[in-house]
Amino acid sequence: MGASRTAFQKPTKSYKVFNFFGRSAVTTNREEWAHHQKTTTRAFAEPGMHIMWEQSTFEDMDKLTRLLTVLPGTLRMFPLVPKYATEDASFSVQAAFSESEAADVDVIGGKENLRRNFIISEGSEVFFDLLAIRISQGMPSRLSQSETEHAWAVGAFAEVQAIVIITLVIRKYKVSADPAPSPEGSHKVVAGFWAVCTRTTSDKCCELLLPTTIIFLVLVSRFVARMLSKSLIALALTAAGRVIGQLTPSTVYQPPDPTSGYGSSLSASTQWSNLLGNMLWFYEAQRSGRLPSDNRVSWRNDSCLTDGQEYGVDLTGGYYDAGDYIKATYPLAFSIFSVCWGANTYGDGYANANQTAYLDQMLRWGLDWLMKAHPGPNTVYIQAGDDSVDNNYWGGDQDIPSPRPVWQVNSTITGTDIAARMAAAFASCSALYNGFSITPSTSKPAPLSNSTYASTLLNHATQLYSLSQQTPLQTYTTAIPGVDWAYASSSYQDEQALAAVMMSVAATAGGATSSSSPTPQSYLDTATDMWSSDKLNQDVVLNWDSVSPAVPILLTQIASLGNSNLHPSGGSSKWQGESETYLDRVVNENGRGYLTKGGLLWYSGDSDLASLNPAMNAAMLLFIYAPMATSSSKTSQYQGQWDYALGKNPMSAPYVVGSNPNSPTNPHDAKSSGGSDIDNIDTSPVNSTHILYGAAVGGPNSNDQFWNIRSDWPETEVALDYNAPFLTLAAYSVLKATDPPFYTSLAPGVYAEAKPGGMPCDPAFPCKSHGGLSTAAKIVLAVVITVVGLIIAGLLACFLVRAKRGRKRSLL
C-alpha cells in the first residue's frame, strides 16, 4: 500500500506539523506512520490531545475556506478533507465515489448522500462538498500515496477553485440511513496533502497550501491559547467558540476558610455570594476525565480517561454522581435541569455574586458529557461504572477499579424515562443559553447567552424527546433487568410531561412559532393532557426519581408570560390552583409530609436516606413559585426549610461543608477523605484530608439528630442532585435576602455541644449493631409477647374456672 520513505519526502515545515499533532496526525505512508507513532505515542497519548479541541467552534475565519463551521459537542479531532468544484457535478461525484471504492474506504452516506451535498452557486460553480473517507478506528487512512494523489487531482485538474474544509462529518450531515464512521475513529487530521502537492504538476493543488496553512496556523494558535487560557490571546481566539466555558471569570474564586462563616466581619451579600461560589466549587471537585488547566481543586487528578473506550464510545469527562466514582446520566440530567431552571428564574443572583462564569463552566461540563452520552439520535448511555464494584472501593481518583462497564438504551431497547429526562435537561438549558426568561418580573436569566450552544442543546433535546415517544414505553430499569442500578427509576409518565413542558419553552426560545412543526403549543397540550390522563397531581416529592411537582409550577410561569405561542390549557388560574394544592400540603402539613420537632419537612420513605433533599427541593419550588402566589401571606411561610439547612436546627449545624466551623467535617466522599482503607473509613484518617467546600450532605434523622460520621452515608454522603436546589436557593438569597445566612450566628463549638451520644440507627448503622433491635427483631419480639400473653391469659382463665367450681362444691 505505501511507498518507501525516500519516495515520500515531506517539506520540512509540514513535518513539524506532524510532530506537533503527534498521534493525531495521519500520513499516507505506512512505514512513516509506524515510525511516527512509535516515537510519539508516549509523548502524545491521544486522550491528551482531546484538550486541544474540546468543544471548539470555528466560524467564518477566512473566505478562502468557504465553509469552516464546526458544530460543538461531537468529535475532538477533525478530519481534514478537500472540497472540489467542477462544472460537471455528475463527473465529480462519480469520480470521487470511484476513487474511494478503489481505495477500499467508505464514503459517508453513500453516493446519493454525496449528490445531496453539492452547493450550487451563481454561474457554473458547483462545489463538491465532501470527499468523506472513513478512517478506521485507531488506524491511519488506508489510502496509498498514489490513490491519495489521484483523489486530490480529481478536484485540482478540473481547473476550478478547490478549497480545504474542516468539518464534522457525522453531525453536520446527520447521516442515519447509511453506515457512517464512528466519532471515535474519525478524530485524525489528514495532513498528507503536503507531500501529495509537492509531487503533482497542478497549480490548483498547490494553491491549497495557502488556505490549508492558514487553517493549521489557526489550529496551532488555538492550542497555544488553550495552554495559556488566561491570556489575552486565549480570549481573542476563543471569541467565536469555546474550550470549556464561554465565559472566563474576572477573578479566580477560591472558597474562604470555614471560620469566615461566623460573625459580622463580612457583609450579608458577601456571605451569600461565598455560599453560592462554594456550592459551584463542589461540582468542580466532582469532575471526571482530563481536568483543565484552570482547575481550582488542587487535590483532584485526571481520572477515568478510558470510560467507554472498550465499547467504542467516548464517555470521558462528566461528573461523579456522589461520594464514589459512578457516572449516572439520570440524576445528572435532573441536576442540570434543576440548575438551569433556577438560573433562569433567579439568574441575577449569579451575576451579583460574580459567579456567572463558574455557572457556565459547571453547566457545560455536565451538558457536554450528556452530549457524549447521546452520540446518536436513538442512543443514550445510562451509566459508566458498576455500582457493586464501586461500592467496594474506597480511595483516591488514581486507582479507580476498571474496567468500567457502560449500558445503553436505544430505539429497540427503549428507556422512555431517561430519554425524556435528558430532553428536559437540554431544553431547560437551551432556553437559558438563548436568554429566554420564564419569569421576567422576578429576575433576568443568568447572562450566559450563546445562541450557537443553545441551538446544539435544542437539537439534542428534540432528538431525545422523539426517542422518549418510541414504544414500548418503559423505564430503563425495566428495559435492562438484572443490573444493580445506582439509580433505579420508578416511572416515566412524569418525565414525559416535564420534557413536553420544557420543549415548548426551548422551541419558543429558539424561534419556533405557531407555524413551526411541531409547534410550541403542541408540546404544551401534550403536557397538560398527560397531567390529567396520567393523574400526575400526586402527593410526591421532587427528586431525581420524581419530577411531577415541577410541572404545574412551570406551567404557571409559562401562563404568566403572555406569550402568543404558549397558552397552557386552563390559563394561569388553573395552574396556580394546581401549584398551590401541592405547596399548601407542604406548608400546612396536611399531606404526606410533616415537620419534625426541629422543623424539617419529612416524607417517610423518601427522607430516610437523604433527609435534606426532599426538603430543599420543596423549598426551591416554594421560592420559585412565591412571586406568583395568590396571597402575599403565603410567601412568608416559605423561609423555614432554607434556614433549617443553614443551621437553624437542634444541632446548630449548617449542613453545607466548609460554610462555618460547625459544618460537617467528615462527608462520605472517597475523593476528599484521603483514606484508602474501606474497612476503617471512619478512622483512616480520623479527619478528612481535604475540605469538600460547598457540598450539601444527606442530613439529620427524623429526630433532628446528626452524628457527622463518614461511613454513615444516609447522613453524610454528598451528591450532584443534593446540591442542585441549594444553588437556586443561594442565588435567590444573593438577590433577595437582606440578612446574612443563619450560620453566621453560630459560634465555633455549638454543634459539638449539641451532638448526640450513641450511634445512629439507619441503613448504614442497623440498630442491632449497637444494642438496639432491628425492625425484624421487634416484630418477632411482638409476636412472642403476644403468644405468651395469650397463653398466660388462657391459663389464668382456666384457673379462675376451676376456682369457681371449687367454691360451688364447697357450698354444697
Side-chain angles (χ1 to χ4, degrees):
M1 288 286 289
S4 66
R5 184 176 300 180
T6 55
F8 193 68
Q9 295 295 321
K10 291 181 289 298
T12 303
K13 289 185 179 180
S14 66
Y15 190 73
K16 288 181 179 178
V17 172
F18 277 85
N19 284 340
F20 177 81
F21 284 101
R23 286 181 60 192
S24 296
V26 176
T27 175
T28 58
N29 179 278
R30 288 238 177 135
E31 183 182 358
E32 176 61 40
W33 168 260
H35 171 73
H36 177 72
Q37 188 178 42
K38 180 178 180 181
T39 57
T40 60
T41 293
R42 287 190 294 273
F44 293 89
E46 191 161 310
M49 304 310 292
H50 293 177
I51 243 177
M52 286 194 295
W53 312 107
E54 185 75 18
Q55 309 301 324
S56 296
T57 301
F58 297 84
E59 292 182 352
D60 300 327
M61 288 188 179
D62 197 287
K63 289 183 179 180
L64 287 171
T65 61
R66 286 296 178 96
L67 179 61
L68 197 54
T69 302
V70 179
L71 303 179
T74 49
L75 311 186
R76 296 298 175 270
M77 303 297 289
F78 315 124
L80 191 62
V81 293
K83 180 177 182 179
Y84 299 119
T86 177
E87 293 182 2
D88 187 347
S90 299
F91 167 77
S92 185
V93 172
Q94 187 59 50
F97 191 74
S98 298
E99 289 301 320
S100 63
E101 284 183 324
D104 191 28
V105 297
D106 299 326
V107 171
I108 309 297
K111 187 187 305 183
E112 290 306 310
N113 191 59
L114 291 178
R115 291 186 191 280
R116 287 195 298 270
N117 284 304
F118 276 82
I119 301 173
I120 302 177
S121 61
E122 209 172 347
S124 61
E125 281 190 328
V126 181
F127 292 97
F128 184 52
D129 192 69
L130 182 65
L131 173 63
I133 60 173
R134 180 170 185 170
I135 300 174
S136 301
Q137 178 76 21
M139 294 291 292
S141 167
R142 287 179 284 175
L143 287 171
S144 68
Q145 175 202 341
S146 60
E147 288 164 339
T148 304
E149 184 175 0
H150 191 181
W152 279 82
V154 169
F157 285 125
E159 294 186 353
V160 291
Q161 183 180 13
I163 63 174
V164 176
I165 65 168
I166 298 176
T167 183
L168 293 176
V169 294
I170 304 299
R171 296 290 168 83
K172 176 174 168 53
Y173 295 101
K174 299 182 178 65
V175 179
S176 57
D178 302 291
S182 66
E184 300 76 38
S186 299
H187 49 255
K188 309 291 184 182
V189 177
V190 183
F193 59 87
W194 255 292
V196 173
C197 280
T198 61
R199 295 179 56 79
T200 182
T201 58
S202 170
D203 292 336
K204 291 293 180 182
C205 186
C206 290
E207 286 176 8
L208 294 171
L209 288 173
L210 176 59
T212 304
T213 301
I214 292 173
I215 292 170
F216 270 105
L217 287 174
V218 170
L219 301 184
V220 173
S221 298
R222 285 182 62 86
F223 175 69
V224 173
R226 181 66 189 88
M227 296 301 101
L228 302 172
S229 59
K230 296 178 183 179
S231 69
L232 292 175
I233 294 177
L235 293 174
L237 289 174
T238 57
R242 60 195 176 81
V243 179
I244 290 180
Q246 175 198 1
L247 305 177
T248 301
S250 57
T251 58
V252 176
Y253 174 82
Q254 285 290 1
D257 188 88
T259 56
S260 67
Y262 168 65
S264 57
S265 60
L266 300 177
S267 67
S269 62
T270 300
Q271 290 284 9
W272 287 116
S273 296
N274 286 347
L275 178 62
L276 182 59
N278 287 5
M279 304 203 82
L280 284 168
W281 189 94
F282 162 75
Y283 283 93
E284 204 160 305
Q286 293 296 107
R287 283 177 173 177
S288 176
R290 189 169 299 281
L291 303 181
S293 60
D294 57 359
N295 167 52
R296 294 180 291 162
V297 187
S298 61
W299 43 268
R300 281 302 320 283
N301 304 283
D302 297 345
S303 58
C304 292
L305 299 180
T306 60
D307 275 358
Q309 186 179 87
E310 182 180 351
Y311 302 86
V313 63
D314 176 14
L315 291 177
T316 58
Y319 292 110
Y320 297 120
D321 73 301
D324 48 22
Y325 296 102
I326 292 294
K327 293 193 295 195
T329 306
Y330 202 52
L332 173 59
F334 171 78
S335 304
I336 294 294
F337 151 74
S338 175
V339 174
C340 280
W341 182 20
N344 193 307
T345 304
Y346 291 115
D348 283 338
Y350 289 95
N352 292 357
N354 199 27
Q355 291 292 326
T356 304
Y358 289 119
L359 170 67
D360 187 34
Q361 293 186 0
M362 172 265 165
L363 288 174
R364 288 184 190 242
W365 194 273
L367 287 164
D368 291 351
W369 188 82
L370 288 177
M371 291 183 203
K372 290 183 177 183
H374 178 230
N378 296 315
T379 302
V380 170
Y381 284 91
I382 305 166
Q383 183 173 305
D386 188 330
D387 199 42
S388 60
V389 173
D390 196 72
N391 285 340
N392 289 312
Y393 171 73
W394 185 264
D397 56 19
Q398 297 295 280
D399 300 304
I400 300 170
S402 61
R404 288 163 56 84
V406 302
W407 293 268
Q408 68 162 263
V409 291
N410 47 51
S411 56
T412 303
I413 305 172
T414 56
T416 309
D417 50 351
I418 197 166
R421 169 71 61 78
M422 291 178 70
F426 281 123
S428 178
C429 296
S430 177
L432 175 64
Y433 276 93
N434 258 325
F436 183 86
S437 176
I438 54 176
T439 52
S441 62
T442 301
S443 168
K444 297 188 293 295
L448 302 175
S449 293
N450 185 313
S451 59
T452 302
Y453 195 56
S455 177
T456 300
L457 298 177
L458 181 56
N459 182 51
H460 281 277
T462 303
Q463 292 177 355
L464 286 158
Y465 183 82
S466 177
L467 180 61
S468 74
Q469 306 304 306
Q470 296 189 27
T471 55
L473 301 178
Q474 60 185 352
T475 65
Y476 72 85
T477 50
T478 301
I480 310 176
V483 177
D484 185 16
W485 293 112
Y487 296 85
S489 171
S490 61
S491 64
Y492 61 81
Q493 293 88 345
D494 55 335
E495 305 294 347
Q496 286 184 310
L498 178 65
V501 172
M502 294 316 307
M503 286 300 299
S504 72
V505 175
T508 302
T513 64
S514 57
S515 61
S516 305
S517 180
T519 65
Q521 185 63 41
S522 67
Y523 287 123
L524 270 187
D525 292 342
T526 297
T528 55
D529 289 346
M530 289 191 69
W531 179 261
S532 300
S533 62
D534 291 322
K535 299 177 179 173
L536 296 179
N537 188 12
Q538 302 296 313
D539 189 7
V540 296
V541 300
L542 174 68
N543 64 13
W544 63 264
D545 186 42
S546 172
V547 296
S548 60
V551 173
I553 295 173
L554 276 162
L555 289 172
T556 305
Q557 288 181 304
I558 293 169
S560 301
L561 286 175
N563 189 292
S564 60
N565 294 311
L566 298 170
H567 299 286
S569 175
S572 296
S573 60
K574 157 74 173 174
W575 298 107
Q576 278 181 315
E578 293 284 357
S579 299
E580 293 189 9
T581 295
Y582 177 84
L583 296 176
D584 285 350
R585 283 196 298 251
V586 172
V587 174
N588 300 327
E589 301 181 69
N590 56 6
R592 282 184 57 225
Y594 67 91
L595 295 182
T596 64
K597 289 182 179 180
L600 177 64
L601 178 64
W602 190 276
Y603 287 86
S604 295
D606 292 299
S607 300
D608 305 80
L609 300 184
S611 61
L612 288 174
N613 189 239
M616 291 305 102
N617 278 316
M620 181 188 76
L621 293 177
L622 291 165
F623 277 51
I624 288 177
Y625 181 75
M628 302 175 290
T630 56
S631 169
S632 59
S633 63
K634 291 181 181 294
T635 63
S636 63
Q637 305 174 47
Y638 294 170
Q639 184 71 29
Q641 296 305 301
W642 186 216
D643 286 341
Y644 185 102
L646 299 183
K648 194 176 182 179
N649 56 62
M651 295 287 99
S652 295
Y655 293 114
V656 180
V657 178
S659 60
N660 174 273
N662 297 287
S663 295
T665 55
N666 285 308
H668 184 88
D669 177 69
K671 299 176 291 298
S672 62
S673 74
S676 59
D677 185 353
I678 195 170
D679 295 321
N680 296 285
I681 291 176
D682 294 328
T683 58
S684 178
V686 174
N687 297 309
S688 293
T689 304
H690 308 289
I691 300 177
L692 190 61
Y693 287 101
V697 298
N701 66 12
S702 58
N703 295 318
D704 301 294
Q705 296 171 307
F706 181 79
W707 275 265
N708 193 29
I709 298 173
R710 190 180 298 132
S711 62
D712 189 20
W713 55 266
E715 291 195 355
T716 60
E717 186 154 25
V718 300
L720 302 177
D721 59 302
Y722 294 1
N723 261 55
F726 277 79
L727 281 177
T728 297
L729 293 168
Y732 164 87
S733 299
V734 171
L735 191 60
K736 302 290 186 179
T738 56
D739 295 325
F742 185 85
Y743 56 70
T744 60
S745 65
L746 299 176
V750 292
Y751 165 69
E753 295 174 2
K755 183 178 179 180
M759 298 292 284
C761 177
D762 56 32
F765 286 88
C767 298
K768 64 182 180 181
S769 67
H770 47 84
L773 292 175
S774 66
T775 301
K778 290 178 182 177
I779 293 173
V780 171
L781 182 60
V783 171
V784 170
I785 291 173
T786 301
V787 171
V788 171
L790 290 172
I791 293 173
I792 293 174
L795 291 174
L796 181 60
C798 182
F799 173 78
L800 292 174
V801 169
R802 288 187 177 184
K804 185 176 182 180
R805 287 177 180 174
R807 286 197 300 274
K808 285 183 178 180
R809 283 195 294 269
S810 66
L811 289 172
L812 292 172

